[in-house]
Amino acid sequence: MNAHTPPPVSAGTAPVVALRNVHKSFGPLKVLDGVSFEVARGEVTVLIGRSGSGKSTALRCIDRFETIDSGEIEVCGLRVDNPQLDLRALRLDVGIVFQSYNLFPHLTIEENITLAPHSVKKVPKREAKTLAARVLEQVGLGDKLHAYPEQLSGGQQQRAAIARSLAMQPKVMLFDEVTSALDPELTGEVLKVIEALAADGMTMVMVTHEMGFARGIADQVVFMHRGKVHEAGPADILSSPATPELAQFVGTGL
Amino acid sequence: MGGTLNLNHLLFLGHGALWTIGLSVIALIGGGAAGFLIALCRVSPSRLLRILAATYVQLIQGTPLLVIMFLSFFGLAAIGLNISPLLAAGASMTIFVAAYLGEIWRGCIEAVPKPQWEAAEGLALSRSQRMVKVILPQAIRIATPPTVGFMVQIIKNTSLASVVGFVELTRSGQIINNSLFEPFLIYSIIALVYFSLCYPLSRLSRRLERTALQKKPALA
């Protein structure tokens, strides 16, 4: 039943993210059961599936927030499954945005954004501030530099979190259900920012429940079911699913 | 014998009260510094440090402060180490306070939501950068009300230093009472002084707890 088709890979370039036969269990629960997919440079891959299908776990494994039991994960030339991996090197290449924004509440938006470039990449304070202003402009929050996170709406906080991640100039960005905590009216403003990033050629992997959005933005859709990649392919598979499970999933919109 | 309570007695009590405050400050600074290390060890990635710190906390929390006082004063004297009452009291209080503050602060560090750690990790911050720039500033906010509240316990527990001959408030009261035989009056005065030292701290702690729940004023 596994109708996995390899994604289109542009000639001559290695994939930015590659999962090969990844297995992962939480105790007796098999969460990832031989997951493989690749993400080419500049492409948007959307992971969909029911709750518990393993999509969020797969995403978190890419940034080593979860360790895998077997298989290979390669990100920007780094072997993520290597226990000796320099995690900071990985996270310099990978940006991640979470469902709950996770801005640092004791810091202003500007400080949230300048913290990592300044303390990790040693960007001088002034340059980091210029950078913060630029990425905030990019997400439409140019006037919120000195606000604290709690003074912003959920949608604004999530855009600020995206800006914070962008300021590290990652090679690939991961989005873990970034609109799931937002009202429908706030979801739109966040999705617009992500669309603009995609248009700029950012390589992205995202877990989302927004099917309409997925259809519009995905270069590749990966449908996960019971810890396996059940069906994968271009966004068209959402309109004409090959497996009854995907058809049912798209049909119910869950 | 005895006579009546006069100004000299009150001055003597005042002097004792100052030593109660002094010993409390020593306990807070010494116990705070050691407690901070204990808290860091309790959340350390090193299993050995976690076990050592947890053992220390269990050991001290399972021992009465009075016994710690006796041990450090009489016990050390018995093996030939003569230490002054101030040193014995200060060291005992430090040992005692470190175990409790360490445990209170470990709880505060762990109370910072896990996603905050992950967000900091995701930004490639090193463990010490995560701790110093992201976790501790939030933990300190959480820790302030219970720490101020615990200072009340510190002040009250300094009264046990009277058993090693350290002349703080309680001991100075005992000394005066030995000549005046007015226990009800004298211990009432002492109780009042303890209360007036502790009550403002309790109030402050409760107020800090309330303001911690409120939103920060608008700054933007």
Side-chain angles (χ1 to χ4, degrees):
Chain A
M1 264 334 261
N2 197 330
H4 175 216
T5 46
V9 178
S10 10
T13 48
V16 179
V17 176
L19 282 77
R20 299 185 194 102
N21 198 24
V22 170
H23 290 260
K24 161 92 187 160
S25 298
F26 289 121
L29 185 70
K30 232 176 188 191
V31 188
L32 300 179
D33 190 8
V35 169
S36 304
F37 64 84
E38 293 188 346
V39 181
R41 188 172 310 285
E43 263 196 8
V44 178
T45 293
V46 175
L47 302 180
I48 58 170
R50 290 195 176 77
S51 313
S53 60
K55 56 195 191 312
S56 266
T57 306
L59 190 83
R60 288 169 59 82
C61 287
I62 295 172
D63 209 8
R64 257 283 280 277
F65 280 115
E66 309 288 351
T67 50
I68 62 175
D69 302 336
S70 66
E72 288 177 11
I73 299 181
E74 200 173 318
V75 176
C76 303
L78 297 168
R79 280 289 292 271
V80 180
D81 50 290
N82 173 8
Q84 263 82 54
L85 170 76
D86 176 3
L87 284 178
R88 295 180 71 198
L90 172 69
R91 283 152 186 177
L92 280 173
D93 286 343
V94 181
I96 185 163
V97 184
F98 303 90
Q99 179 179 342
S100 50
Y101 340 129
N102 304 349
L103 291 169
F104 306 133
H106 60 295
L107 301 178
T108 63
I109 298 302
E110 182 183 58
E111 290 164 343
N112 261 279
I113 296 173
T114 56
L115 174 63
H118 179 63
S119 39
V120 177
K121 289 175 136 187
K122 308 296 171 207
V123 175
K125 262 271 153 70
R126 186 181 301 181
E127 263 176 67
K129 286 186 175 190
T130 314
L131 178 67
R134 205 185 67 218
V135 290
L136 273 181
E137 206 61 61
Q138 206 176 335
V139 300
L141 291 175
D143 55 337
K144 299 295 184 191
L145 271 174
H146 303 296
Y148 281 88
E150 66 197 8
Q151 296 168 316
L152 304 186
S153 72
Q156 290 172 328
Q157 288 193 46
Q158 193 57 292
R159 285 187 280 151
I162 294 172
R164 179 174 70 177
S165 193
L166 275 178
M168 289 297 276
Q169 292 158 322
K171 293 183 183 145
V172 52
M173 284 185 81
L174 311 177
F175 294 87
D176 191 4
E177 298 195 30
V178 292
T179 59
S180 297
L182 298 174
D183 297 338
E185 65 215 88
L186 299 178
T187 299
E189 64 184 51
V190 173
L191 297 184
K192 230 187 277 169
V193 166
I194 299 175
E195 272 166 4
L197 282 178
D200 278 355
M202 175 63 77
T203 309
M204 300 193 271
V205 185
M206 64 181 73
V207 170
T208 185
H209 290 288
E210 303 284 334
M211 283 307 132
F213 176 69
R215 209 171 263 130
I217 199 173
D219 294 303
Q220 175 184 216
V221 171
V222 173
F223 172 60
M224 294 198 52
H225 184 64
R226 294 186 177 165
K228 290 185 199 294
V229 175
H230 200 73
E231 192 173 338
D236 304 343
I237 64 166
L238 292 173
S239 327
S240 45
T243 62
E245 286 79 7
L246 179 56
Q248 197 195 359
F249 178 75
V250 176
T252 58
L254 283 169
Chain B
M1 69 198 285
T4 53
L5 191 69
N6 62 33
L7 186 63
N8 282 332
H9 293 128
L10 291 178
L11 282 176
F12 188 66
L13 282 180
H15 192 251
L18 284 179
W19 272 113
T20 287
I21 295 171
L23 185 56
S24 301
V25 170
I26 291 170
L28 184 67
I29 292 172
F36 182 65
L37 289 180
I38 300 274
L40 288 182
C41 289
R42 290 283 272 131
V43 299
S44 158
S46 153
R47 204 175 124 81
L48 179 69
L49 285 181
R50 285 202 307 272
I51 290 175
L52 283 177
T55 308
Y56 175 83
V57 169
Q58 289 300 316
L59 205 66
I60 300 304
Q61 290 199 350
T63 311
L65 175 58
L66 191 59
V67 174
I68 300 174
M69 291 270 184
F70 280 141
L71 271 176
S72 49
F73 189 65
F74 301 112
L76 289 178
I79 58 169
L81 272 173
N82 269 311
I83 59 174
S84 70
L86 173 61
L87 190 57
S92 304
M93 288 300 296
T94 295
I95 290 167
F96 172 79
V97 168
Y100 283 87
L101 280 184
E103 205 56 6
I104 292 173
W105 291 346
R106 172 190 66 86
C108 294
I109 290 172
E110 286 176 349
V112 176
K114 191 161 169 274
Q116 289 285 315
W117 292 83
E118 288 195 341
E121 270 188 81
L123 288 166
L125 295 171
S126 68
R127 191 183 153 79
S128 57
Q129 287 170 337
R130 295 198 293 269
M131 209 47 162
V132 172
K133 305 202 166 175
V134 177
I135 303 305
L136 288 181
Q138 297 184 60
I140 286 170
R141 271 188 205 180
I142 302 170
T144 308
T147 304
V148 173
F150 187 69
M151 280 164 65
V152 171
Q153 302 299 323
I154 296 178
I155 291 173
K156 290 191 294 187
N157 277 314
T158 56
S159 61
L160 291 171
S162 58
V163 301
V164 296
F166 183 74
V167 186
E168 39 61 72
L169 183 57
T170 302
R171 183 76 192 131
S172 54
Q174 286 170 346
I175 291 168
I176 291 173
N177 186 51
N178 285 345
S179 65
L180 293 184
F181 296 114
E182 291 271 18
F184 186 74
L185 174 67
I186 289 164
Y187 289 120
S188 295
I189 293 172
I190 285 171
L192 196 68
V193 177
Y194 277 115
F195 180 76
S196 55
L197 287 176
C198 295
Y199 183 66
L201 287 173
S202 299
R203 282 297 296 265
L204 178 63
S205 169
R206 227 170 304 156
R207 209 176 65 201
L208 287 170
E209 215 166 300
R210 269 202 308 275
T211 48
L213 294 173
Q214 284 162 6
K215 297 259 167 192
K216 196 182 306 177
L219 284 159

